[in-house]
Amino acid sequence: MSNVINDTKIPNNVDLSSDKKLQRALEQWQPSFLRWWMEMGPEGFQADDVWLRTAISVDAEGWAHFDYVKMPDYRWGIFLADATPDRKIGFGDNLGQPVWKEVPGEHRNALRRLIVTQGDTEPASVEQQRLLGQTCPSLYDLRNLFQVNVEEGRHLWAMVYLLHSYFGRDGREEAEALLQRRSGDPDKPRILGAFNAPCLNWLSFFMFTFFTDRDGKFQLLALAESAFDPLSRTTRFMLTEEAHHMFVGETGISRVVERTAQLMKEAGPSGDVRKLGGVDLPTVQKYLNYWYSLSLDLFGGEISSNAAQFFANGLKGRAHEEKEFTEHTALGQSYAVDQFKDGAAVKEDVPLRNAMNEVLRDSYVVDCQRGVDKWNRVLESHGIDFRLTLPSRRFHRHQGIWADVAATPGGEIVSREEWNRRRHEWLPSESDEAYLQSLMTKPIYEPGKMANWIAPPARGIKGQPLDFQYVRHDA
Ligand code: BYC
């Protein structure tokens, strides 16, 4: 295992002190990061002690250390998974050649763009979630929110390390710009669509961590295959942290569904849980439709020459390239992709390399379905017939071939006028949003207590009881 240096300003396992120039550059970026964190990080909790895990090494056993820490004092560090000895490029035109320790000149721009796009999502999500603490359903959930937030901050560090180390002056400028853009700001928005959407209630937060963080998982898996070894090693370690974020989303929705099922029984024949202060299942479905469709967009166009180039050049592979595929050049093969022609959907074969975004999206859809099945098992266990479903991938899209097509969640193509008229049958309306926010006006700071609209989790964090003081907040 690589040594971890924890007593410097920037914890790291990359032997930062041996490169004084790089160390100085990152130490200069650090105060800008902290200023950004104080301005755009969780509002109202920066002085609290939060029971957080901090990455202190990269081995499977001991990488996470749990303790109380004030968020601005969190030890954001730089951790790369250990190098695989003699690692070879696993796909594309350079298959079988040694991986790169430096950035080849001809791939510099493309790699920088991928790293900047990945990096931009990390602070964006913190910005989107910055007010949620003020309406937390429990101290347990408050702590999970902050855990997610500080780790997204660390993932920003991970990308900034690559920019500073391997991209010279351009990289340093990009690292500055990552702190300048703002989620939802029309003048300086974040790069990808979903990261400019407001996330103002906890149902959105759980959907975001389930669906949008899961895009993160698949993009990181694809980048972990990269021939640029430092990117591969960085993203491999990020995936370890990402797993908890998706757990927060999956169990969060499960707990909402569980509580709703209980309230439906209490409500009697009307089944009207809104009267009892619960989140009704049609509203859960609308938020699912919204965050899932925005997250599908994050995979880019179905047919993409960018994606083909990334694959050909070894910059970005497929998830689990070695385990799941037997052929790794993707040449002379095709992939059936939906096309929209003469007002109808038709499947057409396109060269596999050009369909790489769709290949990744397909794996993502299967993974999402697993979570939805779990939520439906909760409903089934209560004898409730309602089932949550993933909408068609044609529905509510802003990227790719479906971007200008009006389709229902069932995938039926309708006129734009009909779509607009029926929009709020499928997507949250202002009144749905207002209803959720009305449920979540009062934060719950009492240890062990839960808001009425959500069931408690099965267990606490890392062996702690549910009524543990996960955040010491002086209300
Ligand atoms: N919004 O060839 P196309 C995470 C742009 S999440 C706006 O179809 P390409 C996390 C695209 O950039 C994971 N623009 O797509 C989760 C291109 O622009 P240019 C983040 C979009 O290039 C939760 C144009 O449309 N990581 O980690 O094959 C919390 C045509 O592009 C969108 C990555 O995304 C969109 N949704 O692929 C915290 C990995 N989609 O070049 C963190 C790095 C596409 O014409 N990024 N465009 O100006 C990539 O691999 C690729 O850039 C994309 C797009 C998959 C995003």
Side-chain angles (χ1 to χ4, degrees):
M1 197 203 78
S2 32
N3 283 336
V4 177
I5 310 299
N6 233 341
D7 57 356
T8 59
K9 278 194 187 168
I10 305 169
N12 69 89
N13 71 347
V14 294
D15 198 12
L16 191 56
S17 60
S18 70
D19 185 341
K20 292 291 173 214
K21 196 167 159 230
L22 174 62
Q23 187 177 30
R24 259 198 314 277
L26 284 167
E27 284 179 4
Q28 273 173 16
W29 186 80
Q30 193 172 35
S32 310
F33 169 81
L34 274 173
R35 267 195 302 279
W36 166 82
W37 178 269
M38 295 308 286
E39 188 191 327
M40 296 312 295
E43 192 178 286
F45 300 90
Q46 303 280 5
D48 296 346
D49 291 318
V50 186
W51 202 66
L52 291 173
R53 76 174 178 191
T54 305
I56 52 165
S57 78
V58 296
D59 62 333
E61 296 298 296
W63 69 269
H65 172 76
F66 285 76
D67 206 347
Y68 282 108
V69 49
K70 294 189 193 345
M71 284 185 279
D73 299 336
Y74 188 79
R75 303 279 286 153
W76 283 285
I78 298 163
F79 298 101
L80 271 59
D82 289 339
T84 309
D86 298 324
R87 183 171 168 248
K88 301 283 188 294
I89 299 175
F91 61 95
D93 293 342
N94 304 315
L95 181 68
Q97 292 178 20
V99 292
W100 316 319
K101 305 288 175 203
E102 296 293 331
V103 178
E106 67 271 34
H107 302 315
R108 194 183 154 88
N109 284 347
L111 271 172
R112 191 185 58 207
R113 202 186 116 208
L114 284 173
I115 292 167
V116 166
T117 308
Q118 175 64 49
D120 190 69
T121 63
E122 317 291 0
S125 67
V126 174
E127 291 166 3
Q128 286 169 292
Q129 296 162 14
R130 67 190 281 264
L131 298 177
L132 287 173
Q134 298 171 10
T135 58
C136 65
S138 70
L139 280 188
Y140 166 92
D141 290 290
L142 186 63
R143 178 258 168 220
N144 281 348
L145 168 71
F146 296 156
Q147 184 71 60
V148 169
N149 292 160
V150 292
E151 284 176 352
E152 300 304 3
R154 207 202 67 73
H155 292 181
L156 171 60
W157 270 93
M159 292 301 116
V160 164
Y161 163 72
L162 294 177
L163 290 170
H164 273 235
S165 301
Y166 297 98
F167 295 89
R169 190 198 173 116
D170 301 357
R172 290 193 292 279
E173 283 173 9
E174 292 285 12
E176 276 307 313
L178 285 169
L179 298 175
Q180 303 305 323
R181 288 186 286 273
R182 290 286 180 273
S183 174
D185 186 326
D187 297 326
K188 41 177 185 171
R190 291 295 173 182
I191 297 171
L192 298 174
F195 294 91
N196 289 303
C199 183
L200 297 173
N201 68 69
W202 280 76
L203 186 61
S204 279
F205 172 65
F206 292 136
M207 291 295 180
F208 183 97
T209 41
F210 183 82
F211 287 114
T212 312
D213 277 88
R214 194 170 307 274
D215 167 57
K217 167 183 164 182
F218 280 88
Q219 298 296 341
L220 292 174
L221 281 171
L223 295 175
E225 300 291 334
S226 184
F228 177 42
D229 205 40
L231 176 61
S232 165
R233 291 175 57 199
T234 306
T235 46
R236 267 189 280 148
F237 184 61
M238 288 162 75
L239 279 161
T240 328
E241 291 160 317
E242 202 67 39
H244 172 69
H245 306 184
M246 288 176 293
F247 162 87
V248 168
E250 182 176 319
T251 53
I253 300 295
S254 227
R255 290 160 56 211
V256 172
V257 169
E258 168 68 32
R259 182 64 185 142
T260 299
Q262 294 167 2
L263 290 171
M264 282 169 82
K265 266 188 221 151
E266 254 179 60
S270 79
D272 184 356
V273 297
R274 283 201 179 192
K275 269 198 211 135
L276 298 176
V279 185
D280 51 297
L281 294 173
T283 300
V284 175
Q285 180 67 57
K286 287 187 202 177
Y287 279 83
L288 182 162
N289 291 348
Y290 180 71
W291 286 105
Y292 175 65
S293 54
L294 288 189
S295 304
L296 285 177
D297 280 336
L298 294 173
F299 290 82
E302 288 77 2
I303 303 171
S304 163
S305 55
N306 287 342
Q309 284 298 315
F310 296 155
F311 190 88
N313 294 331
L315 311 185
K316 185 180 173 193
R318 290 170 287 192
H320 305 297
E321 180 70 44
E322 191 180 343
K323 206 168 67 193
E324 299 213 349
F325 301 91
T326 47
E327 203 291 325
H328 303 291
T329 65
L331 281 173
Q333 297 163 66
S334 57
Y335 201 76
V337 172
D338 263 347
Q339 293 290 299
F340 185 63
K341 291 219 166 124
D342 303 324
V346 279
K347 283 261 184 228
E348 268 184 15
D349 283 342
V350 302
L352 179 55
R353 283 186 173 185
N354 292 75
M356 285 302 170
N357 287 343
E358 191 67 355
V359 171
L360 201 59
R361 185 163 24 231
D362 282 343
S363 312
Y364 168 82
V365 171
V366 171
D367 209 41
C368 288
Q369 185 62 50
R370 262 189 228 121
V372 175
D373 290 344
K374 278 197 195 163
W375 303 333
N376 282 333
R377 281 200 288 279
V378 174
L379 292 173
E380 205 181 329
S381 73
H382 284 272
I384 291 169
D385 293 335
F386 191 102
R387 291 291 174 268
L388 294 163
T389 50
L390 293 177
S392 159
R393 64 180 84 189
R394 299 173 196 166
F395 172 71
H396 189 234
R397 294 294 302 282
H398 300 86
Q399 297 291 327
I401 49 177
W402 301 110
D404 296 317
V405 179
T408 68
E412 189 195 344
I413 293 156
V414 295
S415 68
R416 181 56 65 189
E417 186 253 322
E418 177 177 352
W419 197 93
N420 286 340
R421 189 160 32 81
R422 299 179 61 190
R423 178 187 178 101
H424 293 308
E425 287 175 33
W426 309 316
L427 291 170
S429 63
E430 272 175 32
S431 77
D432 293 323
E433 181 68 26
Y435 174 67
L436 287 187
Q437 290 192 27
S438 78
L439 289 185
M440 302 174 192
T441 46
K442 239 177 73 204
I444 310 275
Y445 294 134
E446 202 180 306
K449 213 175 151 218
M450 293 286 139
N452 176 54
W453 54 267
I454 189 165
R459 59 190 67 82
I461 309 280
K462 190 77 180 163
Q464 296 291 1
L466 265 190
D467 60 359
F468 184 70
Q469 182 111 36
Y470 289 105
V471 181
R472 293 182 185 140
H473 181 70
D474 198 3

